[in-house]
């Protein structure tokens, strides 16, 4: 099949769509225009679709032959970032920007829909296209799954444009690729009093400070040094006045890790430290731990299929290995429902003109990456379904 040629044919289409999405970025759950434009494009291709989770869309292309079902996923939301670079396709929405590449994801999935629709007679099975809202708040995937999009899906494939990898290369190796991200809140309770007579009160500033320090011993003393874990306290609020003993402290933070077993053990470890440290200062404390996003772990078989797909499109030199990322992706919820993989599509600018990190106001991609991602979506779908 001629996927590479077709991706070339639709190269400009995908670039144009990406630039359009870039000009009209929309925040999580507010992807109204984006969603409307995707539907219009699908209609013009003659592809049927359904709306899910308000601004989400699932489109379906049935192949000419019977077979399994594969889903291709793109997230479509933007971020509260003020655009700082002066590109012709600059954001028209003040303070909102596609600073993570999701504009490209949506455009590439539309390009892949064009390709797969064109060759559907040769396709052995069904391809579903998931246009997912609200990835940046880690809610969209969950919502789509609740609405039943993964029913009957045998495999899932997603990708992320990634500027830390040079354009022209792709990473889709097996194993952990992105970390889990959970949230915690700690409330320390003591007793107020006069700052000059601390013994009459129970100082929560002191107890909370000790808890922050002791929590770091989880990573350094309780988890194997060969495993990656982050425990970060991001905010600590306590006290009202310089000479008043604070009676309450509230902290919030996040944990990150790749190993699901370690993930499960973090909350009990923290609970023990939080309670015991508080009590050693005569205070009491509670831990409220919220599980948010699991780690993205690529299934070995799906990764192997994807690596072959990359080789078909770019040759062996197109495949690179890339260290896992401590950031999180709610794509992991789809991976809990069906085997699959997440590919990182190198989008680093070859000329090095605007190499800024994801979520930066000057973030941009090398648009040559768009053709690669488009082709890989389509190639993966075909290769997965050909396996039978
Ligand atoms: Ni992203």
């Amino acid at each position: 099949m001629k996927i590479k040629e077709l991706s070339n044919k639709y190269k400009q289409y995908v670039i144009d769509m990406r630039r359009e999405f870039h000009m009209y970025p929309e925040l999580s759950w507010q992807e109204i225009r984006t969603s409307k434009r995707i539907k219009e494009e699908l209609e013009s291709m003659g592809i049927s679709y359904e709306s899910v989770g308000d601004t989400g869309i699932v489109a379906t292309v049935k192949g000419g032959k019977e077979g399994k079902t594969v889903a291709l996923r793109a997230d479509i939301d933007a971020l509260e970032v003020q655009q700082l670079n002066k590109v012709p396709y600059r954001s028209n929405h003040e303070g909102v920007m596609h600073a993570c590449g999701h504009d490209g994801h949506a455009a590439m999935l539309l390009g892949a829909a064009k390709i797969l629709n064109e060759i559907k007679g040769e396709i052995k099975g069904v391809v579903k296209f998931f246009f997912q809202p609200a990835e940046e708040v880690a809610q969209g995937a969950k919502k789509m799954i609740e609405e039943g999009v993964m029913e009957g899906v045998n495999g899932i494939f997603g990708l992320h444009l990634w500027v830390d990898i040079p354009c022209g290369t792709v990473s889709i190796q097996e194993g952990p690729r992105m970390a889990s991200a959970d949230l915690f809140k700690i409330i320390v309770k003591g007793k107020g009093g006069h700052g000059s007579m601390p013994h009459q009160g129970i100082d929560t500033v002191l107890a909370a400070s000790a808890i922050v320090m002791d929590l770091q011993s989880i990573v350094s003393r309780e988890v194997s040094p060969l495993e990656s874990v982050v425990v970060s306290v991001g905010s600590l609020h306590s006290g009202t006045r310089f000479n008043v003993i604070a009676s309450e402290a509230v902290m919030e933070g996040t944990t990150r890790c790749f190993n699901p077993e370690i993930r499960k053990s973090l909350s009990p470890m923290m609970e023990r430290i939080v309670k015991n440290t508080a009590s050693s200062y005569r205070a009491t404390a509670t831990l409220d731990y919220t599980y948010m996003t699991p780690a993205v772990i690529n299934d070995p078989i799906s990764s192997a299929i994807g690596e072959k797909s990359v080789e078909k499109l770019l040759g062996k030199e197109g495949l690179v290995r890339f260290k896992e990322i401590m950031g999180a992706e709610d794509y992991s919820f789809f991976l809990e429902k069906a085997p699959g993989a997440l590919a990182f599509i190198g989008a680093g600018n070859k000329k090095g003109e605007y190499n800024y990190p994801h979520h930066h106001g000057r973030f941009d991609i090398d648009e040559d990456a768009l053709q690669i991602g488009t082709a890989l979506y389509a190639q993966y779908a075909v290769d997965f379904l050909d396996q039978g």
Side-chain angles (χ1 to χ4, degrees):
M1 264 182 256
K2 46 202 183 302
I3 286 171
K4 204 172 168 178
E5 289 75 11
L6 287 170
S7 71
N8 199 37
K9 179 176 160 190
Y10 296 124
K11 182 179 179 179
Q12 196 55 47
Y13 167 78
V14 175
I15 291 174
D16 292 343
M17 286 311 302
R18 180 260 163 169
R19 290 184 173 201
E20 187 188 324
F21 291 136
H22 198 85
M23 285 171 77
Y24 302 99
E26 294 171 305
L27 296 175
S28 303
W29 295 127
Q30 296 167 34
E31 309 92 339
I32 313 280
R33 185 191 184 280
T34 309
S35 180
K36 183 172 156 272
R37 285 292 296 120
I38 291 167
K39 289 176 191 168
E40 284 168 4
E41 289 301 309
L42 291 167
E43 261 160 44
S44 76
M45 295 176 211
I47 295 175
S48 63
Y49 62 83
E50 275 175 57
S51 297
V52 265
D54 300 332
T55 42
I57 302 156
V58 175
T60 307
V61 168
K62 278 204 172 73
K65 302 166 202 162
E66 287 294 302
K68 288 186 172 172
T69 297
V70 67
L72 307 173
R73 175 271 202 174
D75 42 9
I76 64 172
D77 55 337
L79 287 159
E80 291 103 329
V81 171
Q82 177 65 43
Q83 184 146 20
L84 298 173
N85 54 344
K86 302 234 168 2
V87 288
Y89 43 91
R90 205 164 182 271
S91 167
N92 283 307
H93 295 167
E94 194 57 22
V96 184
M97 180 188 173
H98 268 295
C100 196
H102 301 186
D103 48 349
H105 302 169
M108 290 188 286
L109 194 55
L110 281 172
K114 269 187 185 282
I115 294 172
L116 292 165
N117 197 39
E118 198 161 323
I119 60 170
K120 65 182 169 200
E122 300 160 64
I123 293 175
K124 214 172 112 195
V126 178
V127 186
K128 299 219 173 195
F129 303 85
F130 291 179
F131 294 90
Q132 184 211 305
E135 190 282 325
E136 296 291 359
V137 291
Q139 294 171 359
K142 230 178 172 173
K143 176 82 180 148
M144 288 183 85
I145 293 165
E146 278 164 17
E147 296 202 10
V149 301
M150 288 301 281
E151 276 160 33
V153 171
N154 305 106
I156 174 106
F157 176 73
L159 51 75
H160 207 302
L161 291 162
W162 209 256
V163 294
D164 297 329
I165 306 177
C167 182
T169 60
V170 174
S171 156
I172 183 174
Q173 70 216 50
E174 66 172 271
R177 305 308 293 136
M178 294 185 83
S180 61
D182 299 324
L183 185 100
F184 62 82
K185 184 173 182 176
I186 297 163
I187 299 176
V188 187
K189 295 230 191 259
K191 185 181 159 199
H194 199 293
S196 66
M197 293 169 272
H199 60 291
Q200 292 178 351
I202 297 172
D203 184 3
T204 55
V205 167
L206 183 66
S209 304
I211 289 170
V212 173
M213 299 296 285
D214 287 353
L215 284 176
Q216 295 312 310
S217 70
I218 291 176
V219 176
S220 65
R221 303 288 96 173
E222 295 204 42
V223 174
S224 160
L226 299 175
E227 297 279 354
S228 303
V229 180
V230 171
V231 179
S232 285
V233 176
S235 73
L236 195 173
H237 296 281
S238 187
T240 53
R241 232 188 101 88
F242 77 101
N243 61 354
V244 173
I245 299 289
S247 61
E248 188 180 274
V250 179
M251 292 178 254
E252 285 185 322
T254 185
T255 64
R256 308 289 166 118
C257 71
F258 297 105
N259 183 329
E261 291 303 311
I262 291 179
R263 184 184 183 215
K264 266 189 257 163
S265 71
L266 289 176
S267 163
M269 283 180 198
M270 290 178 64
E271 176 108 22
R272 190 188 74 241
I273 289 170
V274 164
K275 292 225 147 88
N276 290 330
T277 300
S279 92
S280 73
Y281 292 89
R282 296 179 290 128
T284 57
T286 53
L287 169 73
D288 187 5
Y289 194 95
T290 312
Y291 286 96
M292 302 278 284
T293 319
V296 173
I297 300 171
N298 280 353
D299 158 61
I301 295 168
S302 307
S303 279
I305 295 170
E307 288 186 339
K308 286 255 152 52
S309 309
V310 174
E311 281 179 22
K312 281 181 197 169
L313 298 168
L314 300 171
K316 267 203 183 336
E317 59 280 10
L319 261 186
V320 289
R321 291 186 75 77
F322 184 68
K323 205 81 187 116
E324 55 269 42
I325 296 164
M326 223 67 216
E329 241 284 0
D330 75 350
Y331 176 72
S332 52
F333 287 113
F334 294 118
L335 290 175
E336 288 185 333
K337 299 289 170 192
L342 180 77
F344 290 108
I345 310 294
N349 188 267
K350 289 188 291 267
K351 297 173 218 107
E353 276 169 4
Y354 23 71
N355 277 329
Y356 287 92
H358 288 256
H359 297 200
H360 191 284
R362 293 184 191 281
F363 173 82
D364 206 353
I365 54 159
D366 189 322
E367 287 182 323
D368 286 348
L370 295 172
Q371 187 187 348
I372 295 169
T374 305
L376 185 58
Y377 266 137
Q379 190 69 56
Y380 184 90
V382 167
D383 293 345
F384 177 85
L385 293 172
D386 276 348
Q387 301 253 319

